[in-house]
Protein backbone atom coordinates (compact mmCIF):
# COMPACT_ATOMS: atom_id res chain seq x y z
CA UNK A 1 0.00 0.00 0.00
CA UNK A 2 1.52 3.28 -1.11
CA UNK A 3 0.07 6.33 0.58
CA UNK A 4 0.64 10.08 0.96
CA UNK A 5 -0.04 10.32 4.69
CA UNK A 6 -0.60 14.11 4.80
CA UNK A 7 -2.92 14.48 1.83
CA UNK A 8 -6.40 15.12 3.18
CA UNK A 9 -8.40 15.09 -0.03
CA UNK A 10 -7.25 11.79 -1.45
CA UNK A 11 -9.91 9.07 -1.51
CA UNK A 12 -9.04 5.44 -0.96
CA UNK A 13 -7.86 3.66 -4.08
CA UNK A 14 -6.69 0.06 -4.21
CA UNK A 15 -3.84 -0.91 -6.52
CA UNK A 16 -3.27 -4.35 -8.02
CA UNK A 17 -0.65 -5.00 -5.34
CA UNK A 18 -3.08 -3.91 -2.60
CA UNK A 19 -5.69 -6.41 -3.76
CA UNK A 20 -3.03 -9.09 -4.08
CA UNK A 21 -1.90 -8.44 -0.50
CA UNK A 22 -5.49 -8.72 0.72
CA UNK A 23 -5.96 -12.04 -1.08
CA UNK A 24 -2.64 -13.33 0.26
CA UNK A 25 -3.81 -12.45 3.77
CA UNK A 26 -7.09 -14.35 3.38
CA UNK A 27 -5.21 -17.28 1.87
CA UNK A 28 -3.49 -17.77 5.23
CA UNK A 29 -6.81 -18.83 6.73
CA UNK A 30 -6.64 -22.44 7.93
CA UNK A 31 -9.62 -24.47 9.24
CA UNK A 32 -9.53 -24.88 12.99
CA UNK A 33 -6.80 -22.27 13.47
CA UNK A 34 -6.57 -18.55 14.19
CA UNK A 35 -3.63 -17.24 12.17
CA UNK A 36 -2.13 -14.02 13.51
CA UNK A 37 -1.06 -11.61 10.76
CA UNK A 38 0.19 -8.42 12.41
CA UNK A 39 -0.32 -6.21 15.48
CA UNK A 40 -0.50 -2.44 15.12
CA UNK A 41 -1.12 0.38 17.57
CA UNK A 42 -3.88 2.99 17.41
CA UNK A 43 -1.55 5.59 15.99
CA UNK A 44 -0.05 3.18 13.47
CA UNK A 45 -3.49 2.19 12.20
CA UNK A 46 -4.61 5.80 11.78
CA UNK A 47 -1.48 7.01 9.99
CA UNK A 48 -1.45 4.01 7.64
CA UNK A 49 -5.18 4.17 6.94
CA UNK A 50 -5.03 7.96 6.44
CA UNK A 51 -5.55 10.57 9.14
CA UNK A 52 -8.49 12.04 7.21
CA UNK A 53 -10.37 8.74 7.09
CA UNK A 54 -12.86 8.18 9.89
CA UNK A 55 -12.07 5.10 11.94
CA UNK A 56 -14.96 2.73 12.59
CA UNK A 57 -13.08 0.93 15.37
CA UNK A 58 -12.18 1.92 18.91
CA UNK A 59 -8.92 3.83 19.44
CA UNK A 60 -8.66 3.68 23.25
CA UNK A 61 -5.07 4.83 23.69
CA UNK A 62 -5.25 7.59 21.10
CA UNK A 63 -8.59 8.89 22.39
CA UNK A 64 -7.08 9.13 25.87
CA UNK A 65 -4.40 11.55 24.61
CA UNK A 66 -6.51 14.68 25.00
CA UNK A 67 -5.26 17.62 22.99
CA UNK A 68 -2.60 15.56 21.22
CA UNK A 69 -1.61 16.52 17.68
CA UNK A 70 -2.64 13.36 15.83
CA UNK A 71 -0.58 14.23 12.79
CA UNK A 72 2.52 14.48 14.98
CA UNK A 73 1.65 11.27 16.84
CA UNK A 74 1.20 9.58 13.47
CA UNK A 75 4.59 10.72 12.22
CA UNK A 76 6.19 9.33 15.37
CA UNK A 77 4.37 6.04 14.74
CA UNK A 78 5.89 5.96 11.27
CA UNK A 79 9.35 5.92 12.84
CA UNK A 80 8.47 2.74 14.71
CA UNK A 81 6.99 1.15 11.58
CA UNK A 82 10.08 2.04 9.57
CA UNK A 83 12.35 0.61 12.27
CA UNK A 84 10.36 -2.65 12.30
CA UNK A 85 10.52 -2.93 8.52
CA UNK A 86 6.73 -2.81 8.18
CA UNK A 87 6.90 0.24 5.91
CA UNK A 88 9.55 1.73 3.63
CA UNK A 89 9.72 5.17 1.98
CA UNK A 90 8.04 5.21 -1.42
CA UNK A 91 9.41 6.77 -4.60
CA UNK A 92 7.14 9.77 -4.20
CA UNK A 93 8.20 10.58 -0.64
CA UNK A 94 9.53 14.05 -1.54
CA UNK A 95 6.65 15.13 -3.81
CA UNK A 96 4.83 18.27 -2.59
CA UNK A 97 1.15 18.14 -1.74
CA UNK A 98 -1.60 20.46 -3.05
CA UNK A 99 -0.71 23.10 -0.46
CA UNK A 100 2.99 22.96 -1.27
CA UNK A 101 3.94 21.05 1.88
CA UNK A 102 6.21 18.05 1.59
CA UNK A 103 4.42 14.70 1.71
CA UNK A 104 5.41 11.65 3.70
CA UNK A 105 5.18 8.82 1.20
CA UNK A 106 5.27 5.26 2.51
CA UNK A 107 4.80 1.78 1.17
CA UNK A 108 3.58 -0.84 3.62
CA UNK A 109 4.58 -4.49 3.71
CA UNK A 110 1.94 -6.98 2.44
CA UNK A 111 1.18 -8.22 5.97
CA UNK A 112 0.14 -4.65 6.82
CA UNK A 113 -1.51 -3.74 3.52
CA UNK A 114 -3.66 -6.90 3.45
CA UNK A 115 -5.55 -6.29 6.72
CA UNK A 116 -5.95 -2.56 6.03
CA UNK A 117 -7.57 -3.29 2.67
CA UNK A 118 -9.72 -6.11 4.04
CA UNK A 119 -11.21 -4.00 6.83
CA UNK A 120 -12.43 -1.50 4.19
CA UNK A 121 -13.80 -4.01 1.67
CA UNK A 122 -15.82 -6.51 3.74
CA UNK A 123 -19.19 -7.93 2.67
CA UNK A 124 -20.41 -7.62 6.26
CA UNK A 125 -18.97 -6.35 9.54
CA UNK A 126 -19.65 -7.48 13.10
CA UNK A 127 -18.48 -5.50 16.12
CA UNK A 128 -18.39 -6.70 19.72
CA UNK A 129 -17.72 -4.31 22.59
CA UNK A 130 -17.39 -6.03 25.96
CA UNK A 131 -17.42 -4.19 29.27
CA UNK A 132 -16.18 -5.78 32.52
CA UNK A 133 -14.79 -4.52 35.80
CA UNK A 134 -11.42 -4.32 34.05
CA UNK A 135 -12.68 -1.97 31.33
CA UNK A 136 -13.57 -2.36 27.67
CA UNK A 137 -12.34 -4.79 25.03
CA UNK A 138 -13.32 -4.94 21.35
CA UNK A 139 -13.45 -7.46 18.51
CA UNK A 140 -14.29 -6.53 14.91
CA UNK A 141 -15.04 -9.22 12.34
CA UNK A 142 -14.85 -8.55 8.60
CA UNK A 143 -16.53 -11.18 6.41
CA UNK A 144 -15.11 -11.81 2.93
CA UNK A 145 -15.72 -14.14 0.01
CA UNK A 146 -15.51 -17.89 0.45
CA UNK A 147 -16.55 -17.42 4.11
CA UNK A 148 -13.17 -16.15 5.20
CA UNK A 149 -12.81 -13.73 8.11
CA UNK A 150 -10.41 -11.00 9.10
CA UNK A 151 -10.56 -10.28 12.83
CA UNK A 152 -9.33 -7.09 14.48
CA UNK A 153 -9.08 -7.43 18.25
CA UNK A 154 -8.52 -4.14 20.04
CA UNK A 155 -7.08 -4.27 23.55
CA UNK A 156 -7.57 -1.47 26.12
CA UNK A 157 -3.90 -0.59 25.52
CA UNK A 158 -4.73 0.40 21.95
CA UNK A 159 -3.10 -2.59 20.26
CA UNK A 160 -4.92 -3.98 17.20
CA UNK A 161 -4.23 -7.67 16.60
CA UNK A 162 -5.22 -8.81 13.11
CA UNK A 163 -5.93 -12.49 12.47
CA UNK A 164 -7.61 -14.62 9.80
CA UNK A 165 -9.68 -17.79 10.03
CA UNK A 166 -12.67 -19.49 8.36
CA UNK A 167 -16.16 -18.31 9.24
CA UNK A 168 -16.86 -21.79 10.61
CA UNK A 169 -14.52 -21.01 13.52
CA UNK A 170 -16.15 -17.70 14.43
CA UNK A 171 -18.91 -19.07 16.66
CA UNK A 172 -16.60 -20.92 18.99
CA UNK A 173 -14.15 -18.02 19.14
CA UNK A 174 -16.72 -15.36 20.03
CA UNK A 175 -18.61 -17.66 22.40
CA UNK A 176 -15.65 -17.36 24.78
CA UNK A 177 -15.79 -13.57 24.43
CA UNK A 178 -19.54 -13.41 25.11
CA UNK A 179 -19.63 -16.03 27.87
CA UNK A 180 -16.15 -16.00 29.47
CA UNK A 181 -17.21 -18.12 32.47
CA UNK A 182 -19.15 -20.66 30.35
CA UNK A 183 -22.40 -20.17 32.25
CA UNK A 184 -24.85 -20.47 29.35
CA UNK A 185 -26.84 -23.70 29.62
CA UNK A 186 -30.29 -23.69 27.99
CA UNK A 187 -32.64 -21.20 26.37
CA UNK A 188 -35.13 -20.06 28.97
CA UNK A 189 -37.96 -17.63 29.64
CA UNK A 190 -38.32 -14.19 28.09
CA UNK A 191 -39.59 -10.88 29.41
CA UNK A 192 -40.71 -7.93 27.32
CA UNK A 193 -40.35 -4.31 28.40
CA UNK A 194 -41.01 -0.96 26.84
CA UNK A 195 -37.81 1.02 26.44
CA UNK A 196 -38.90 3.28 29.29
CA UNK A 197 -39.65 0.31 31.59
CA UNK A 198 -36.31 -1.29 30.80
CA UNK A 199 -34.41 1.91 31.53
CA UNK A 200 -36.22 2.38 34.84
CA UNK A 201 -35.95 -1.24 36.01
CA UNK A 202 -32.56 -2.32 34.64
CA UNK A 203 -30.77 -1.69 37.92
CA UNK A 204 -33.14 -4.03 39.78
CA UNK A 205 -33.44 -6.84 37.21
CA UNK A 206 -30.97 -9.56 38.36
CA UNK A 207 -30.27 -10.72 34.82
CA UNK A 208 -28.92 -7.22 34.14
CA UNK A 209 -27.64 -5.93 37.46
CA UNK A 210 -25.65 -9.11 38.26
CA UNK A 211 -23.80 -9.15 34.94
CA UNK A 212 -20.03 -9.53 35.15
CA UNK A 213 -19.59 -8.96 31.41
CA UNK A 214 -21.82 -6.97 29.07
CA UNK A 215 -21.22 -7.22 25.33
CA UNK A 216 -22.89 -5.15 22.66
CA UNK A 217 -22.97 -6.94 19.30
CA UNK A 218 -23.72 -5.01 16.12
CA UNK A 219 -23.80 -6.24 12.53
CA UNK A 220 -24.14 -4.43 9.21
CA UNK A 221 -23.90 -5.58 5.58
CA UNK A 222 -22.08 -3.71 2.83
CA UNK A 223 -24.35 -1.25 1.04
CA UNK A 224 -26.91 -1.23 3.84
CA UNK A 225 -27.55 1.38 6.51
CA UNK A 226 -29.46 -1.11 8.68
CA UNK A 227 -27.54 -1.87 11.87
CA UNK A 228 -28.72 -4.93 13.81
CA UNK A 229 -27.76 -4.79 17.47
CA UNK A 230 -28.18 -6.94 20.59
CA UNK A 231 -26.72 -6.85 24.09
CA UNK A 232 -25.45 -9.96 25.89
CA UNK A 233 -25.29 -10.08 29.70
CA UNK A 234 -23.10 -12.78 31.25
CA UNK A 235 -23.92 -13.34 34.93
CA UNK A 236 -22.60 -15.82 37.50
CA UNK A 237 -25.71 -17.93 36.90
CA UNK A 238 -26.45 -17.67 33.17
CA UNK A 239 -26.33 -15.61 29.99
CA UNK A 240 -29.08 -13.29 28.76
CA UNK A 241 -29.68 -11.36 25.56
CA UNK A 242 -31.62 -8.13 25.05
CA UNK A 243 -33.10 -7.60 21.58
CA UNK A 244 -35.21 -4.88 20.08
CA UNK A 245 -38.78 -6.00 19.48
CA UNK A 246 -41.45 -3.77 17.97
CA UNK A 247 -39.95 -0.76 16.18
CA UNK A 248 -41.33 2.74 15.76
CA UNK A 249 -41.56 4.82 12.60
CA UNK A 250 -38.03 6.13 13.19
CA UNK A 251 -36.65 2.59 13.22
CA UNK A 252 -35.81 2.66 16.93
CA UNK A 253 -37.15 -0.18 19.11
CA UNK A 254 -40.27 0.52 21.11
CA UNK A 255 -40.02 -2.72 23.11
CA UNK A 256 -37.08 -4.81 24.31
CA UNK A 257 -37.08 -8.53 24.99
CA UNK A 258 -34.81 -10.03 27.66
CA UNK A 259 -34.23 -13.78 27.19
CA UNK A 260 -32.09 -16.40 28.85
CA UNK A 261 -29.96 -18.15 26.22
CA UNK A 262 -28.09 -21.42 26.09
CA UNK A 263 -24.69 -22.26 24.70
CA UNK A 264 -26.04 -23.03 21.22
CA UNK A 265 -27.72 -19.61 20.97
CA UNK A 266 -24.56 -17.87 22.21
CA UNK A 267 -22.65 -19.51 19.38
CA UNK A 268 -25.34 -18.67 16.83
CA UNK A 269 -25.64 -14.95 17.61
CA UNK A 270 -22.53 -13.74 15.70
CA UNK A 271 -23.59 -15.59 12.56
CA UNK A 272 -27.12 -14.25 12.87
CA UNK A 273 -25.90 -10.66 12.98
CA UNK A 274 -23.67 -11.28 9.96
CA UNK A 275 -26.72 -12.54 8.09
CA UNK A 276 -25.45 -16.11 7.81
Amino acid sequence: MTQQTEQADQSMRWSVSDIAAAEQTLARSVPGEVTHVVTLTDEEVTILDGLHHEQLVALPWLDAQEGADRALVGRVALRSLLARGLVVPSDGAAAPGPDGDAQVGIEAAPEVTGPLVLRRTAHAILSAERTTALGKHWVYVYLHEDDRVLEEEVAPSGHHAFSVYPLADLSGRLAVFLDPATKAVLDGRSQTFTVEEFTAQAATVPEISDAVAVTTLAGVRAGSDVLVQVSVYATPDGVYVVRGGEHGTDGAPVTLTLSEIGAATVRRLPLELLGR
Side-chain angles (χ1 to χ4, degrees), residues 220-269:
V220 64
R221 300 184 190 182
S224 172
D225 57 1
V226 177
L227 182 71
V228 182
Q229 184 170 299
V230 302
S231 296
V232 179
Y233 295 80
T235 76
D237 301 312
V239 178
Y240 303 84
V241 63
V242 174
R243 304 172 182 264
E246 179 185 356
H247 287 69
T249 56
D250 60 354
V254 176
T255 60
L256 298 171
T257 300
L258 170 65
S259 306
E260 183 176 10
I261 57 175
T265 302
V266 170
R267 293 173 63 91
R268 192 166 56 245
L269 274 177

Side-chain angles (χ1 to χ4, degrees), residues 1-213:
M1 173 186 285
T2 301
Q3 183 178 334
Q4 302 295 332
T5 60
E6 297 291 330
Q7 192 171 334
D9 61 347
Q10 183 180 25
S11 61
M12 284 189 170
R13 300 183 181 89
W14 311 122
S15 67
V16 172
S17 61
D18 291 340
I19 299 302
E23 184 54 43
Q24 289 167 15
T25 300
L26 289 177
R28 299 175 61 177
S29 174
V30 177
E33 295 184 16
V34 175
T35 303
H36 176 257
V37 180
V38 70
T39 297
L40 302 171
T41 64
D42 284 353
E43 60 274 28
E44 289 170 347
V45 167
T46 56
I47 193 66
L48 289 167
D49 202 42
L51 292 173
H52 54 289
H53 290 133
E54 181 182 0
Q55 290 297 316
L56 303 180
V57 303
L59 303 168
W61 182 87
L62 197 54
D63 288 344
Q65 312 310 306
E66 296 184 9
D69 182 339
R70 294 203 172 192
L72 175 60
V73 171
R75 288 194 291 271
V76 173
L78 278 181
R79 288 170 53 82
S80 172
L81 290 164
L82 286 162
R84 290 154 60 194
L86 293 178
V87 303
V88 296
S90 69
D91 293 340
D99 56 2
D101 291 341
Q103 300 296 295
V104 181
I106 59 171
E107 184 170 350
E111 62 265 34
V112 172
T113 296
L116 292 179
V117 172
L118 291 171
R119 70 206 288 269
R120 293 287 185 177
T121 56
H123 299 321
I125 300 175
L126 173 71
S127 67
E129 178 184 280
R130 185 179 70 186
T131 303
T132 69
L134 299 177
K136 293 184 181 293
H137 202 123
W138 302 263
V139 172
Y140 300 89
V141 173
Y142 308 92
L143 179 61
H144 286 269
E145 60 184 11
D146 297 329
D147 283 348
R148 295 175 295 181
V149 162
L150 172 76
E151 177 188 283
E152 179 178 359
E153 182 177 4
V154 183
S157 60
H159 287 83
H160 301 238
F162 293 92
S163 305
V164 291
Y165 50 86
L167 180 63
D169 295 315
L170 174 64
S171 295
R173 183 159 174 80
L174 278 193
V176 177
F177 193 79
L178 297 172
D179 181 18
T182 321
K183 294 298 182 180
V185 182
L186 296 171
D187 290 347
R189 67 186 184 93
S190 297
Q191 306 173 63
T192 299
F193 304 83
T194 65
V195 172
E196 292 75 17
E197 289 172 341
F198 185 83
T199 302
Q201 300 177 31
T204 61
V205 176
E207 295 88 339
I208 303 298
S209 59
D210 291 347
V212 295

